[in-house]
Amino acid sequence: MAISPTEVRPEPASFRDPANRVFHVGDEVLRGLDPQAAEHWRALTGSTFFPALVAARKVCATEDAPPTLVPAATGTPWAAVLRHERIPFVSHPYEWSFSMLRDAALLHLEILTAALGEGFTTKDGSAYNLQWRGAQPVFIDIGSFEPVRDGEPWAGYRQFCQTVLYPLMLTAHLGVDFQPWLRARVDGIEADELRPLFNGARRLRPGVLTHLHLHGAMQQRNAAASTTEVRDQLRAAGFSRDLLLATVRGIEKLVRKLDRRPPESHWSDYQRTCGYSARDRVAKEQFVATAVAAGTRPRLVLDLGANDGRYSRLAAGHADYVVAVEQDPTVVDELYRQLRSEGQRRILPLVLDLADPSPGGGWRGVERAGFAERASADVVLALAVVHHLAIGRNVPLPEVIDWLAGLTAPGGAVVVEFVHPDDPMATRLLANKPAGLFPEYRRDTFETLLAARGRITDRLELPSGTRTLYRTVMGG
């Protein structure tokens, strides 16, 4: 049956390649292909490497779908339509930790190497071509595969440098977090932006001279030349597929070398420094487990301020998928490494400042959806978060409650912890603020605000007497 055009939602991030376009129909993810892209798809399915990568869950599961599922946008029907598996939660590279970006890069290079071995390449090199199933990266841009042409370089090399390699070098060589740099520009970090930071002896650090300085110089030299002219020059110079494969393997070797063991942070040992007694911790864990398990099994849980992932793991025992959000890149990286070693596929750790979450970005501000637009959780965990926002970041309590409600799906629940003003942590935060600045930061005010946005179904005062937990069905 044909689908009404009103039911089809074009993916805002899929418009740069006119040969194929992604659409959403209900919960389905579909991709329309023009005649050439459809021909490439048929060749791809006949290869050996592509089905093997799909079977290994390194490339998203994809199958043919009826072309009528996606109406023609310009009057010309799509030559083919594909159905992709749905990724549980879409994230952006500036929300990943260092090890996440590096592992995503290595997967992209592994896939490219396999493709080159059978006469294919990827025409894109963007970090946005990858997503996550928990702690496992997965390549999603099926439309990027095309037959390789002898004598041509990797078309995605510049994108790979700007969205993957340069951010990794920034953190590995200089100890600078790459996330704010990537968030600032959807196309990544330009060579001209980074080159001044790698002068002198820093030019000799792995990858810098070849992929930053020489690459930048070649871009400037060929700025006036057309793509065809550059290709002709490379063919004349003897650039071959074997040389391209050697280049890709060299980049992979470099990426494996890039590493950074970040210094200890205040939050990296949270369970020891958080101040909970053993009785508090047991009571809190029991309350959270019961609150998440209540009602229908959640498809998505957001754990805001996840720290070491203790409660994310607890929630994962009762939910399909958990997104563990934490501001400190060091803590997220350590959590990711642990989840990766465990083979965890249902917890996705992300770097995110709750008081300054990822906004919409790119073309018209919707090419990369903001965090709030992507988050519609069945359960939101906000444990030991409210006081940091309300006191530490001066966010009014009504705003905090409204924000939590906005992240929750209709009928979803918020499990929130209120730290009383006399709690040692709240006392420390208040000591750094002018006296009387937060007169409304009180338990009774918080409960009134919470009850105005939903129905409080459960509450528990922890044995210490200075913290209270609530489960609230929002809008109920």
Side-chain angles (χ1 to χ4, degrees), residues 158 218-234:
R158 180 177 180 180
M218 288 183 64
Q219 283 183 313
Q220 291 178 350
R221 187 181 66 188
N222 295 316
S226 67
T227 302
T228 302
E229 289 173 332
V230 173
R231 288 172 178 169
D232 291 343
Q233 291 172 12
L234 287 170

Side-chain angles (χ1 to χ4, degrees), residues 109-449:
L109 294 169
E110 176 188 347
I111 290 170
L112 177 57
T113 299
L116 288 171
E118 292 195 36
F120 282 85
T121 185
T122 58
K123 56 187 174 184
D124 304 302
S126 172
Y128 293 93
N129 287 351
L130 295 111
Q131 284 296 324
W132 296 87
R133 301 187 196 96
Q136 179 190 48
V138 55
F139 188 87
I140 64 169
D141 191 9
I142 305 302
S144 180
F145 290 102
E146 66 177 3
V148 66
R149 292 180 285 270
D150 285 331
E152 293 189 6
W154 178 28
Y157 173 65
R158 180 177 180 180
Q159 276 187 328
F160 187 84
C161 286
Q162 293 182 180
T163 63
V164 179
L165 189 57
Y166 293 166
L168 289 175
M169 291 198 302
L170 184 68
T171 299
H173 294 328
L174 302 183
V176 176
D177 291 329
F178 66 80
Q179 290 86 0
W181 290 64
L182 271 186
R183 171 174 155 170
R185 183 176 296 174
V186 71
D187 291 328
I189 306 172
E190 297 278 357
D192 288 346
E193 294 177 292
L194 209 57
R195 198 178 301 113
L197 302 180
F198 284 94
N199 285 323
R202 290 177 175 174
R203 293 167 63 97
L204 303 179
R205 296 186 181 183
V208 172
L209 188 60
T210 300
H211 299 287
L212 182 61
H213 286 283
L214 293 181
H215 179 214
M218 288 183 64
Q219 283 183 313
Q220 291 178 350
R221 187 181 66 188
N222 295 316
S226 67
T227 302
T228 302
E229 289 173 332
V230 173
R231 288 172 178 169
D232 291 343
Q233 291 172 12
L234 287 170
R235 287 195 189 96
F239 191 85
S240 65
R241 192 185 307 181
D242 289 340
L243 191 55
L244 173 57
L245 187 58
T247 301
V248 173
R249 286 174 174 161
I251 297 173
E252 180 184 358
K253 184 177 180 181
L254 167 63
V255 171
R256 290 190 183 279
K257 285 182 179 179
L258 297 176
D259 198 7
R260 179 190 176 224
R261 282 289 180 178
E264 290 291 319
S265 79
H266 171 72
W267 302 107
S268 60
D269 194 17
Y270 178 73
Q271 292 302 324
R272 185 178 62 82
T273 61
C274 63
Y276 288 103
S277 67
R279 293 177 61 207
D280 279 356
R281 184 174 288 110
V282 170
K284 182 174 178 178
E285 289 180 359
Q286 290 176 344
F287 184 91
V288 170
T290 301
V292 174
T296 305
R297 181 180 175 87
R299 293 178 61 184
L300 176 64
V301 174
L302 293 183
D303 184 5
L304 307 177
N307 298 117
D308 62 2
R310 187 184 192 94
Y311 296 99
S312 294
R313 287 184 170 89
L314 199 64
H318 305 281
D320 293 342
Y321 205 71
V322 179
V323 176
V325 173
E326 172 57 46
Q327 178 179 349
D328 191 326
T330 299
V331 175
V332 175
D333 204 60
E334 180 59 31
L335 174 58
Y336 167 73
R337 289 173 184 247
Q338 292 174 3
L339 295 172
R340 181 184 60 187
S341 68
E342 297 166 8
Q344 178 59 254
R345 299 292 180 264
R346 291 192 293 117
I347 301 176
L348 171 65
L350 295 179
V351 179
L352 195 80
D353 181 354
L354 297 178
D356 184 22
S358 304
W363 173 243
R364 301 179 71 181
V366 298
E367 185 179 354
R368 307 299 173 199
F371 180 73
E373 286 70 46
R374 288 172 278 143
S376 182
D378 301 300
V379 176
V380 173
L381 301 182
L383 308 172
V385 163
V386 170
H387 60 298
H388 287 293
L389 293 172
I391 302 175
R393 306 295 286 272
N394 288 31
V395 180
L397 274 180
E399 293 279 343
V400 175
I401 301 299
D402 286 347
W403 169 69
L404 292 174
L407 298 177
T408 311
V414 170
V415 182
V416 60
E417 179 177 6
F418 184 74
V419 176
H420 304 181
D422 57 344
D423 182 89
M425 178 61 76
T427 300
R428 283 200 294 272
L429 289 172
L430 288 167
N432 295 321
K433 303 290 184 176
L437 185 61
F438 302 101
E440 294 187 354
Y441 187 81
R442 304 191 312 270
R443 176 179 171 179
D444 59 340
T445 301
F446 181 78
E447 287 191 2
T448 299
L449 292 168

